Amino acid sequence: MTGARAVASTDAAAVKARLHVSPHPLVREKLTRLRDETTPPPEFRRLVHEIATLVLYEATADLALSERGIRTPLADWRGARLKEKVGLIPVLRAGIGMVEAAVALMPEAEVWHIGLFRDERTLRPIEYYNKLPSEATVQVCLVLDPMLATGGSAVATVDILKKWGARRVKYVGIIAAPEGARALSSAHPDVPIHVAALDDHLNEKGYIVPGLGDAGDRQFGTG
Ligand code: PRP
Ligand code: URA
């Protein structure tokens, strides 16, 4: 194998190690209905919520626990609580649809919104909302955004969180393009990527193919 080919295949192996695509049959089935162009916004939102729940369940499987003693009506019980404070970081707009699912699973998590949109011409993310306090208030951050396309928005969000002082960050989404998974993995190799599907490629406008179209527009009935 030549030097360049060897580096490329090592990179592919590294991305593969960080990318977790849900193998769950319920995710596959719900994602099919989500992608369907005839699915209207109310059903689309419900499906985003349900898929987010399932992907979050897998993405949080390694959260650390500490002991919490309680008493049941019958006996003492050495139970557990989440050891670290979790922050949920929905990326506006489309990430909003994943928040309720995350809060239902982790009611004590803090929710910090980041607003980014892609410049349609350059496809670069433009930040328009960020009210993070001066220092990190959580130990684990879960970035919530359904679409990892070029990866620009995800990389910018993780940059912001790391500057803020976040020690551990995970990306939780629905569909990734190979280009986005590579970009996030190369900029932030310590960030695991959890998604429902890895799609084929990006088209010339930066949309994921086959994808589902514009996740924000389809949730909110705009566009
Ligand atoms: C979408 C999506 C991501 C971004 C992904 O947001 O929710 O944030 O695109 O693309 P990237 O990986 O190429 O950066 P969009 O900019 O469409 O804004 P919206 O959620 O407000 O519709
Ligand atoms: N943002 C979306 O909502 N969909 C894509 O396919 C790419 C970026």
Side-chain angles (χ1 to χ4, degrees), residues 4 9-10 15 19 62 75 89 99 118 137 153-154 163 185-186 193:
S9 66
T10 310
V15 176
L19 177 65
D62 64 350
I89 322 293
V99 176
R118 289 197 311 178
T137 53
S153 306
K163 269 194 210 125
S185 176
S186 125
I193 303 168

Side-chain angles (χ1 to χ4, degrees), residues 86-131:
V86 176
L88 305 170
I89 322 293
V91 179
L92 308 177
R93 280 178 310 165
I96 293 173
M98 300 174 69
V99 176
E100 256 188 53
V103 169
L105 293 173
M106 292 162 281
E108 276 152 32
E110 296 180 7
V111 183
W112 296 104
H113 301 81
I114 301 279
L116 297 174
F117 68 87
R118 289 197 311 178
D119 179 295
E120 279 182 14
R121 200 177 47 81
T122 63
L123 298 182
R124 296 300 307 153
I126 312 233
E127 184 179 332
Y128 64 91
Y129 186 85
N130 175 353
K131 284 269 165 82

Side-chain angles (χ1 to χ4, degrees), residues 118 147 149 206-208 212-216:
R118 289 197 311 178
M147 308 305 273
Y207 275 85
I208 301 177
L212 49 73
D214 188 302

